[in-house]
Amino acid sequence: MTFDTVALCRAEPDPAAMLGALLAAGAELKMDTVKAAGLVQLFDPVDGRLLLSVEAARLVRVPGEARRLLDLADADDVPEPVWWVESRAPGADPQAADVARRFTAALVEITGGLTWTGR
């Protein structure tokens, strides 16, 4: 099982915003990319375990679609259109969940918008 978070960004998360949020998640963490899958991953610097996988940003243009997908029918503050940035952390690792929360919160602080957490 994974711990999932979504940043629903008002502004497009450009490379500087993504890098800033990744560094806010943990400047000491090791970073790598999986280009074929469009992922950036963060790893523990000591034992090398995977802490977070972040997908490339996607623009959701259909009005109400982000609210529908995340079951936020009553949420009036979801930006439209919205940039959707999804991240996943191993669910059994509390440190990984903290990294996911820090990344998502930092990205939304930079771009505006709001966060959604799977649990």
Side-chain angles (χ1 to χ4, degrees):
M1 194 122 210
T2 60
F3 178 81
D4 301 336
T5 61
V6 177
L8 298 169
C9 304
R10 289 187 193 288
E12 181 178 4
D14 62 14
M18 292 294 285
L19 182 58
L22 289 164
L23 290 172
E28 75 286 358
L29 301 177
K30 292 185 179 181
M31 189 182 319
D32 200 1
T33 60
V34 182
K35 291 183 183 180
L39 296 175
V40 175
Q41 295 181 314
L42 297 178
F43 298 88
D44 184 278
V46 176
D47 62 16
R49 76 185 185 285
L50 176 65
L51 295 175
L52 185 66
S53 294
V54 179
E55 295 183 7
R58 291 179 173 81
L59 181 60
V60 179
R61 295 179 192 262
V62 177
E65 185 68 359
R67 285 192 306 273
R68 183 188 71 78
L69 290 170
L70 298 175
D71 196 23
L72 299 171
D74 298 331
D76 294 328
D77 54 350
V78 177
E80 290 182 352
V82 64
W83 287 92
W84 177 293
V85 180
E86 194 162 338
S87 60
R88 290 183 184 82
D93 187 338
Q95 181 186 3
D98 288 342
V99 169
R101 283 186 196 95
R102 286 195 307 267
F103 166 77
T104 304
L107 187 59
V108 167
E109 184 176 319
I110 294 166
T111 62
L114 61 113
T115 64
W116 175 89
T117 303
R119 304 187 210 169

